[in-house]
Amino acid sequence: MDGGVLAGLGFALLFVALQRAGDGVGLWPTAVEQVVSIVPVAALYLVVRARTTDRERWTVRTAAGPAMAGALGAVAVVFYFLATHFGMLTVVAVLTSLYPAATIALARFVLAERISRWQGAGLVLAGVAVALITAG
């Protein structure tokens, strides 16, 4: 199975499970999600570490990026959980579907990657669509 498809299925399962959690459970579903996600991340770490050579040592600096991504991901999941329980699910679902736009923006501004005209047009159209959906 393609990694992108597997990641998409994982996100879908996470979002549906968080939305289905009862109103009285508080933030426990997000805590459980973070604990459960440690297992595949630790397995991936062990695989990558076994494949590195002496020239490619893992340092605190190389681990800082994934650690920051994990922390920001945890914050995002908490906000999603709160939004689905206290906000309009239709708006939350549309905004959540735009998470790849943040990846494109980070690639542009952090890695200095170029955004093609089609990608830029798609981002603009997605922003317009979100504005129209939330206004309606």
Side-chain angles (χ1 to χ4, degrees), residues 11-12 14-16 18 76-77 79-81 83-84 88-102 130:
F11 275 117
L14 169 67
F15 293 149
V16 169
L18 288 177
V77 168
F79 283 144
Y80 176 82
F81 178 80
T84 59
M88 292 178 54
L89 183 57
T90 54
V91 175
V92 173
V94 170
L95 291 176
T96 302
S97 70
L98 293 176
Y99 77 88
V130 167

Side-chain angles (χ1 to χ4, degrees), residues 8-27:
L9 290 172
F11 275 117
L13 179 64
L14 169 67
F15 293 149
V16 169
L18 288 177
Q19 194 278 326
R20 298 251 182 217
D23 290 335
V25 296
L27 292 175

Side-chain angles (χ1 to χ4, degrees), residues 94-119:
V94 170
L95 291 176
T96 302
S97 70
L98 293 176
Y99 77 88
T103 305
I104 293 171
L106 285 172
R108 170 65 185 110
F109 296 113
V110 175
L111 301 176
E113 290 187 12
R114 294 185 59 211
I115 297 175
S116 72
R117 288 184 184 180
W118 287 109
Q119 288 171 324

